[in-house]
Amino acid sequence: MPETILEISHLRKLYDDLRVFEDLSLTVHEGEVIVIVGPSGCGKSTLLRCINALEDIQGGEIRLRGEPVSKENRNLQSIRQKIGMVFQNYELFPHMTVLDNIMLAPVKAQGRKKEEVREEALDLLKRVGLESKADSYPRQLSGGQKQRTAIVRALCMHPEILLFDEVTAALDPEMVREVLEVILDLANQGKTMLVVTHEMQFARAIADRVIFLDEGRICEEGTPDGFFDEPKTERARKFLNTFTFERKGAKN
Amino acid sequence: MPDLGFDTLLKGKNFARLLGGLGVALKISLVSVLISIVLGTVLGVLRQRENLLLKAVMKLYLEFIRIMPQLVLLFIVYFGTTRSFGWNLPGETAAVIVFSLWGTAEMSDLVRGALISIPVHQYESAAALGLRKTQTYLYVILPQAVRRLIPLSINLITRMIKTTSLVVMIGVVEILKVAQQIIEANRMSSPNAAFGIYLTVFAMYFLACWPISILAGKLEKRWR
Ligand SMILES: Nc1ncnc2c1ncn2[C@@H]1O[C@H](COP(=O)(O)OP(=O)(O)O)[C@@H](O)[C@H]1O
Ligand SMILES: [Mg+2]
C-alpha cells in the first residue's frame, strides 16, 4: 500500500448558514490521481480551497503527511509550499514576467538559489513548450499559455500534491487540449493530484479513482470505468446524462 | 500689433522675479505633495482596518476637508489660528499645512482605491504559493497598487500646483503676486502690461504642469 499523503477526516464546512460539507472524509495516497466531478455548486472548489486553508473549516481535520493544515498552524506557509494549486482563471501576477512569476515563491518563500531556480524554471517551461515566453508578460499570452505557466509555477515549488480546479473551464475549446496534455504528462510522471474537471473523456483517461460529489458528501466513488460505464447511484447517472446527447426519434 | 506689454518683462529683473515666484509655488506644492504621499499612504492603509473609532475619526476628517473650500482652510489656518493662539505662522508654512491636509485626504482616497482594486485572487494565489503576508504585500500587492497610484498622484501634483495660486490671499509672494506687483509698478509707463505679464504667468504654469501631465499619461499607458 503506498503511503498516505493527504487525509481529510470528518470535514465540516459552512458559509454562514449555507452548509457545504457536513462530514466528508477522503484519503489520498502517494502517486494517486483522483478526479472529482459533480454538479455546479456542489462544493468542488470549496474542497480544494479547504485543503490548502484558503477557507476556514468548522469541523474535522485535514492533514498533509500527518501535519494539520489550518490557519492556526504556525507552519502553514511551509505546508502550503507542498500543495500546488492551479486556479480556473490562472491568477498569474500581471506585473511580472512569466519567469518572475515562476521564480518568486521558490526564491522568496523557499529561500532557494536564484540560479538554480531559474534553470529549473526554464527547463520546465521548455517541457510545456513555452521556452520562448519566459520574458513575456501574462497579458501577452493566450489563455492556454497562461494556464501552462500557472502549472509550471506550481510545479517549480516541488509540491507533494497538486490541486487543479477546472483549469480548462475558462479556455477556448482549441486550447483545452494543450493544457490537458500537460496534466496527463504529470500523471504519467507519478505525481499525486486532485483534479476537478468537467472534461469527462479526460477524467476517464487520467483518473485512478473518480469521486462524485453531490449534496455536500461523496455520493459515489470508484474506478473510472466503473463510474462512467455503470454508475451505481441514480444521481450519478443523471449527472453523467447531462454530458451525452441524443436525438430522440431521429433514427426510426 | 497692439502693445501687449511684453517689454515690461525685460525691464530690470522682472522675468527672474516671475520665475522666482513660480519657484515658490512649486516649492509649496512639492513639499505638500511629499508629505501627502507619506501620510496619505499610511491613512489609506489604515482605512482598510475595521476599527470603528478609527473609521469615525477618519470620516470626520475626510468630510471636513472635502466640504471646505481650500481658501477657507487657508484663512482658518493663517488668520484664525495666528489670532487665537497668538503664534506667528509664516504664510508659506500655513500654505504647506493646508495643502498637506488636503493632499493627505485625497491621497488616502487614491491609496484605498488602488488597494481595493487588486482582486482578492491575487492575495489567494500568493498565499497558495506559501508566501507570507508581508511577502505578499511586498512583491505582489504593493507593486500593482503603486502602478495604479503613480499616474493618479501625479495628477494630484498638477492640481496642487494650480491651486497654489490661492496663497496670494494670505500674502505669500508667489508667481501671481509677483505679477501683480510688476503690473502695479509699471502702471504709468506701460499701462497694457497686465496682458503680457499674465500671459507669461499662464505660459509658466503651463510649462510646469504640462510635462507632468505627459508623464502621467505615459505611465498610465505603459502599466495598463
Ligand atoms: N465565499 C463564499 N461565500 C458564500 N457562499 C459560497 C462562497 N463560495 C462558494 N459558496 C457556495 O458554496 C457552494 C459550493 O461552491 P463551490 O465550491 O464553488 O462549488 P463548485 O466548485 O462545485 O461549483 C455553492 O452553493 C456556492 O454558492
Ligand atoms: Mg468551482
Side-chain angles (χ1 to χ4, degrees):
Chain A
M1 194 73 192
E3 230 178 292
T4 297
I5 286 199
L6 181 76
E7 179 133 44
I8 302 171
S9 37
H10 309 293
L11 171 64
R12 191 171 133 83
K13 168 69 192 165
L14 313 167
Y15 286 117
D16 301 321
D17 43 306
L18 174 77
R19 195 198 60 191
V20 186
F21 305 122
E22 185 57 54
D23 178 8
L24 186 142
S25 298
L26 175 68
T27 303
V28 184
H29 301 105
E30 187 156 1
E32 205 177 12
V33 178
I34 297 183
V35 168
I36 303 169
V37 298
S40 173
C42 70
K44 304 178 296 293
S45 300
T46 303
L47 179 59
L48 296 192
R49 290 166 58 81
C50 287
I51 291 174
N52 64 6
L54 285 178
E55 297 287 345
D56 292 313
I57 62 177
Q58 281 68 49
E61 223 184 17
I62 298 171
R63 285 175 178 271
L64 184 81
R65 287 222 191 266
E67 204 173 350
V69 185
S70 87
K71 287 194 178 156
E72 280 77 55
N73 190 332
R74 294 171 83 235
N75 241 343
L76 180 60
Q77 270 76 34
S78 76
I79 297 176
R80 276 174 169 164
Q81 288 164 23
K82 297 178 196 148
I83 305 174
M85 181 141 184
V86 185
F87 300 85
Q88 180 174 329
N89 291 308
Y90 336 117
E91 313 307 345
L92 297 174
F93 305 130
H95 61 297
M96 293 183 188
T97 63
V98 164
L99 193 59
D100 289 338
N101 261 279
I102 299 168
M103 289 175 59
L104 177 67
V107 171
K108 301 297 179 192
Q110 293 181 319
R112 282 155 61 191
K113 282 230 176 63
K114 248 187 170 157
E115 270 322 300
E116 174 244 331
V117 175
R118 182 197 309 275
E119 218 160 280
E120 177 175 4
L122 289 172
D123 189 52
L124 286 168
L125 280 174
K126 195 165 178 180
R127 271 204 255 166
V128 301
L130 289 177
E131 66 268 41
S132 62
K133 300 290 182 188
D135 296 320
S136 303
Y137 283 87
R139 64 177 174 309
Q140 300 167 315
L141 304 181
S142 73
Q145 293 170 333
K146 278 186 219 174
Q147 199 56 293
R148 281 181 279 156
T149 302
I151 294 174
V152 168
R153 184 172 70 173
L155 280 179
C156 206
M157 298 289 288
H158 306 152
E160 305 232 7
I161 184 170
L162 284 159
L163 313 176
F164 294 92
D165 189 4
E166 299 201 38
V167 294
T168 58
L171 296 180
D172 289 334
E174 73 268 23
M175 289 172 190
V176 169
R177 193 173 185 99
E178 66 191 44
V179 172
L180 294 185
E181 276 183 351
V182 170
I183 302 176
L184 268 170
D185 193 44
L186 295 175
N188 289 334
Q189 293 167 30
K191 298 262 194 279
T192 313
M193 308 196 274
L194 275 181
V195 183
V196 171
T197 183
H198 280 298
E199 303 283 338
M200 293 302 153
Q201 301 283 335
F202 168 70
R204 189 170 187 147
I206 200 174
D208 295 317
R209 184 151 52 118
V210 179
I211 282 175
F212 176 60
L213 210 60
D214 195 15
E215 306 222 299
R217 58 196 184 83
I218 295 176
C219 199
E220 183 169 339
E221 77 174 280
T223 61
D225 286 345
F227 177 75
F228 287 109
D229 293 337
E230 294 160 35
K232 294 188 282 276
T233 58
E234 181 58 30
R235 288 186 175 284
R237 214 167 301 142
K238 256 198 175 148
F239 172 73
L240 287 173
N241 271 339
T242 60
F243 293 93
T244 57
F245 297 91
E246 56 184 312
R247 202 170 140 189
K248 291 199 175 82
K251 282 180 190 146
N252 36 28
Chain B
M1 170 104 185
D3 174 19
L4 296 182
F6 281 116
D7 54 323
T8 320
L9 267 183
L10 305 175
K11 265 193 229 154
K13 291 184 181 154
N14 282 354
F15 190 72
R17 282 177 63 205
L18 271 183
L19 272 182
L22 182 68
V24 171
L26 289 181
K27 194 174 84 190
I28 291 175
S29 12
L30 282 184
V31 173
S32 310
V33 160
L34 286 181
I35 295 175
S36 303
I37 285 178
V38 174
L39 295 183
T41 305
V42 173
L43 210 69
V45 172
L46 283 181
R47 282 173 72 188
Q48 301 277 84
R49 294 276 179 85
E50 287 301 320
N51 186 321
L52 282 182
L53 179 68
L54 202 65
K55 275 192 161 169
V57 172
M58 292 207 210
K59 179 132 181 107
L60 201 67
Y61 163 63
L62 293 169
E63 286 300 321
F64 180 76
I65 299 291
R66 237 174 250 144
I67 291 167
M68 275 302 164
Q70 282 105 13
L71 191 55
V72 178
L73 281 176
L74 277 174
F75 284 167
I76 293 177
V77 170
Y78 186 65
F79 298 117
T81 65
T82 41
R83 280 282 159 76
S84 314
F85 303 112
W87 61 41
N88 192 4
L89 199 60
E92 279 187 33
T93 313
V96 166
I97 291 175
V98 167
F99 286 120
S100 299
L101 281 172
W102 170 55
T104 298
E106 295 245 344
M107 197 63 202
S108 80
D109 271 341
L110 299 180
V111 169
R112 196 172 84 107
L115 284 178
I116 287 177
S117 74
I118 309 288
V120 65
H121 266 125
Q122 289 285 307
Y123 294 86
E124 290 184 348
S125 77
L129 284 165
L131 291 167
R132 277 183 277 115
K133 264 238 159 68
T134 42
Q135 292 174 324
T136 300
Y137 270 95
L138 203 56
Y139 302 118
V140 178
I141 306 304
L142 286 179
Q144 293 185 61
V146 166
R147 277 169 167 72
R148 285 165 206 221
L149 213 53
I150 285 183
L152 298 173
S153 32
I154 287 179
N155 210 318
L156 180 63
I157 299 177
T158 53
R159 276 191 296 141
M160 221 173 243
I161 294 176
K162 284 189 286 189
T163 317
T164 48
S165 54
L166 289 180
V167 300
V168 164
M169 308 298 286
I170 58 170
V172 176
V173 183
E174 46 70 83
I175 180 166
L176 214 55
K177 187 70 192 172
V178 175
Q180 284 174 353
Q181 287 170 348
I182 293 174
I183 293 161
E184 192 65 18
N186 294 281
R187 205 160 36 122
M188 295 303 167
S189 58
S190 171
N192 288 333
F195 193 79
I197 297 291
Y198 281 133
L199 208 61
T200 310
V201 169
F202 166 81
M204 282 179 171
Y205 269 123
F206 182 77
L207 288 178
C209 291
W210 193 43
I212 302 179
S213 290
I214 289 183
L215 185 66
K218 280 231 167 91
L219 287 177
E220 210 161 352
K221 236 184 226 145
R222 172 131 157 242
W223 282 338
R224 173 97 18 99

PDB file of all heavy atoms in Angstrom, chain A residues 15 18 20 39-46, ligand 1:
ATOM      1  N   TYR A  15     -20.645  28.149   4.894  1.00  0.00           N
ATOM      2  CA  TYR A  15     -20.538  29.581   4.576  1.00  0.00           C
ATOM      3  C   TYR A  15     -21.723  30.232   5.271  1.00  0.00           C
ATOM      4  O   TYR A  15     -22.854  30.064   4.828  1.00  0.00           O
ATOM      5  CB  TYR A  15     -20.647  29.837   3.072  1.00  0.00           C
ATOM      6  CG  TYR A  15     -19.433  29.444   2.265  1.00  0.00           C
ATOM      7  CD1 TYR A  15     -19.494  28.454   1.293  1.00  0.00           C
ATOM      8  CD2 TYR A  15     -18.214  30.092   2.461  1.00  0.00           C
ATOM      9  CE1 TYR A  15     -18.387  28.114   0.531  1.00  0.00           C
ATOM     10  CE2 TYR A  15     -17.105  29.757   1.709  1.00  0.00           C
ATOM     11  CZ  TYR A  15     -17.196  28.765   0.746  1.00  0.00           C
ATOM     12  OH  TYR A  15     -16.107  28.430  -0.005  1.00  0.00           O
ATOM     13  N   LEU A  18     -25.017  28.493   5.081  1.00  0.00           N
ATOM     14  CA  LEU A  18     -25.056  27.521   3.991  1.00  0.00           C
ATOM     15  C   LEU A  18     -24.101  26.364   4.304  1.00  0.00           C
ATOM     16  O   LEU A  18     -22.910  26.573   4.496  1.00  0.00           O
ATOM     17  CB  LEU A  18     -24.632  28.177   2.676  1.00  0.00           C
ATOM     18  CG  LEU A  18     -24.506  27.212   1.490  1.00  0.00           C
ATOM     19  CD1 LEU A  18     -25.867  26.846   0.947  1.00  0.00           C
ATOM     20  CD2 LEU A  18     -23.629  27.798   0.405  1.00  0.00           C
ATOM     21  N   VAL A  20     -21.952  23.412   3.284  1.00  0.00           N
ATOM     22  CA  VAL A  20     -21.361  22.825   2.086  1.00  0.00           C
ATOM     23  C   VAL A  20     -20.978  21.374   2.362  1.00  0.00           C
ATOM     24  O   VAL A  20     -21.354  20.475   1.618  1.00  0.00           O
ATOM     25  CB  VAL A  20     -20.132  23.625   1.613  1.00  0.00           C
ATOM     26  CG1 VAL A  20     -19.635  23.060   0.288  1.00  0.00           C
ATOM     27  CG2 VAL A  20     -20.474  25.096   1.453  1.00  0.00           C
ATOM     28  N   PRO A  39     -22.135  18.216  -9.853  1.00  0.00           N
ATOM     29  CA  PRO A  39     -22.838  19.371 -10.408  1.00  0.00           C
ATOM     30  C   PRO A  39     -22.272  20.696  -9.876  1.00  0.00           C
ATOM     31  O   PRO A  39     -21.645  20.728  -8.826  1.00  0.00           O
ATOM     32  CB  PRO A  39     -24.285  19.163  -9.953  1.00  0.00           C
ATOM     33  CG  PRO A  39     -24.235  18.162  -8.866  1.00  0.00           C
ATOM     34  CD  PRO A  39     -23.029  17.334  -9.081  1.00  0.00           C
ATOM     35  N   SER A  40     -22.508  21.739 -10.638  1.00  0.00           N
ATOM     36  CA  SER A  40     -22.039  23.063 -10.244  1.00  0.00           C
ATOM     37  C   SER A  40     -22.601  23.436  -8.878  1.00  0.00           C
ATOM     38  O   SER A  40     -23.771  23.203  -8.596  1.00  0.00           O
ATOM     39  CB  SER A  40     -22.492  24.064 -11.309  1.00  0.00           C
ATOM     40  OG  SER A  40     -22.201  25.354 -10.888  1.00  0.00           O
ATOM     41  N   GLY A  41     -21.748  23.962  -8.012  1.00  0.00           N
ATOM     42  CA  GLY A  41     -22.207  24.389  -6.698  1.00  0.00           C
ATOM     43  C   GLY A  41     -22.198  23.295  -5.650  1.00  0.00           C
ATOM     44  O   GLY A  41     -22.612  23.516  -4.514  1.00  0.00           O
ATOM     45  N   CYS A  42     -21.688  22.104  -5.980  1.00  0.00           N
ATOM     46  CA  CYS A  42     -21.705  21.006  -5.016  1.00  0.00           C
ATOM     47  C   CYS A  42     -20.535  21.103  -4.048  1.00  0.00           C
ATOM     48  O   CYS A  42     -20.466  20.339  -3.082  1.00  0.00           O
ATOM     49  CB  CYS A  42     -21.696  19.663  -5.723  1.00  0.00           C
ATOM     50  SG  CYS A  42     -20.125  19.296  -6.519  1.00  0.00           S
ATOM     51  N   GLY A  43     -19.595  22.009  -4.293  1.00  0.00           N
ATOM     52  CA  GLY A  43     -18.517  22.213  -3.323  1.00  0.00           C
ATOM     53  C   GLY A  43     -17.148  21.729  -3.771  1.00  0.00           C
ATOM     54  O   GLY A  43     -16.238  21.603  -2.954  1.00  0.00           O
ATOM     55  N   LYS A  44     -16.964  21.506  -5.067  1.00  0.00           N
ATOM     56  CA  LYS A  44     -15.659  21.023  -5.550  1.00  0.00           C
ATOM     57  C   LYS A  44     -14.560  22.055  -5.281  1.00  0.00           C
ATOM     58  O   LYS A  44     -13.508  21.719  -4.726  1.00  0.00           O
ATOM     59  CB  LYS A  44     -15.737  20.722  -7.050  1.00  0.00           C
ATOM     60  CG  LYS A  44     -16.832  19.731  -7.419  1.00  0.00           C
ATOM     61  CD  LYS A  44     -16.922  19.479  -8.911  1.00  0.00           C
ATOM     62  CE  LYS A  44     -17.310  20.683  -9.748  1.00  0.00           C
ATOM     63  NZ  LYS A  44     -18.677  21.168  -9.547  1.00  0.00           N
ATOM     64  N   SER A  45     -14.817  23.309  -5.655  1.00  0.00           N
ATOM     65  CA  SER A  45     -13.816  24.352  -5.415  1.00  0.00           C
ATOM     66  C   SER A  45     -13.584  24.525  -3.927  1.00  0.00           C
ATOM     67  O   SER A  45     -12.446  24.674  -3.473  1.00  0.00           O
ATOM     68  CB  SER A  45     -14.279  25.684  -6.002  1.00  0.00           C
ATOM     69  OG  SER A  45     -14.483  25.563  -7.383  1.00  0.00           O
ATOM     70  N   THR A  46     -14.671  24.509  -3.174  1.00  0.00           N
ATOM     71  CA  THR A  46     -14.558  24.687  -1.725  1.00  0.00           C
ATOM     72  C   THR A  46     -13.663  23.613  -1.115  1.00  0.00           C
ATOM     73  O   THR A  46     -12.813  23.906  -0.272  1.00  0.00           O
ATOM     74  CB  THR A  46     -15.956  24.651  -1.082  1.00  0.00           C
ATOM     75  OG1 THR A  46     -16.763  25.656  -1.695  1.00  0.00           O
ATOM     76  CG2 THR A  46     -15.876  24.903   0.411  1.00  0.00           C
TER      77      THR A  46
HETATM   78  N1  LIG C   1     -17.281  32.768  -0.477  1.00  0.00           N
HETATM   79  C1  LIG C   1     -18.497  32.171  -0.432  1.00  0.00           C
HETATM   80  N2  LIG C   1     -19.458  32.677   0.362  1.00  0.00           N
HETATM   81  C2  LIG C   1     -20.668  32.082   0.434  1.00  0.00           C
HETATM   82  N3  LIG C   1     -21.018  31.009  -0.259  1.00  0.00           N
HETATM   83  C3  LIG C   1     -20.113  30.462  -1.081  1.00  0.00           C
HETATM   84  C4  LIG C   1     -18.795  31.024  -1.209  1.00  0.00           C
HETATM   85  N4  LIG C   1     -18.101  30.277  -2.099  1.00  0.00           N
HETATM   86  C5  LIG C   1     -18.940  29.299  -2.503  1.00  0.00           C
HETATM   87  N5  LIG C   1     -20.136  29.415  -1.901  1.00  0.00           N
HETATM   88  C6  LIG C   1     -21.279  28.495  -2.070  1.00  0.00           C
HETATM   89  O1  LIG C   1     -20.850  27.214  -1.669  1.00  0.00           O
HETATM   90  C7  LIG C   1     -21.354  26.229  -2.546  1.00  0.00           C
HETATM   91  C8  LIG C   1     -20.198  25.453  -3.151  1.00  0.00           C
HETATM   92  O2  LIG C   1     -19.487  26.300  -4.027  1.00  0.00           O
HETATM   93  P1  LIG C   1     -18.261  25.791  -4.901  1.00  0.00           P
HETATM   94  O3  LIG C   1     -17.315  25.070  -4.023  1.00  0.00           O
HETATM   95  O4  LIG C   1     -17.728  26.971  -5.616  1.00  0.00           O
HETATM   96  O5  LIG C   1     -18.959  24.799  -5.909  1.00  0.00           O
HETATM   97  P2  LIG C   1     -18.364  24.118  -7.225  1.00  0.00           P
HETATM   98  O6  LIG C   1     -16.934  24.484  -7.331  1.00  0.00           O
HETATM   99  O7  LIG C   1     -18.598  22.669  -7.029  1.00  0.00           O
HETATM  100  O8  LIG C   1     -19.176  24.635  -8.363  1.00  0.00           O
HETATM  101  C9  LIG C   1     -22.195  26.951  -3.578  1.00  0.00           C
HETATM  102  O9  LIG C   1     -23.539  26.863  -3.173  1.00  0.00           O
HETATM  103  C10 LIG C   1     -21.703  28.354  -3.517  1.00  0.00           C
HETATM  104  O10 LIG C   1     -22.747  29.238  -3.833  1.00  0.00           O
END
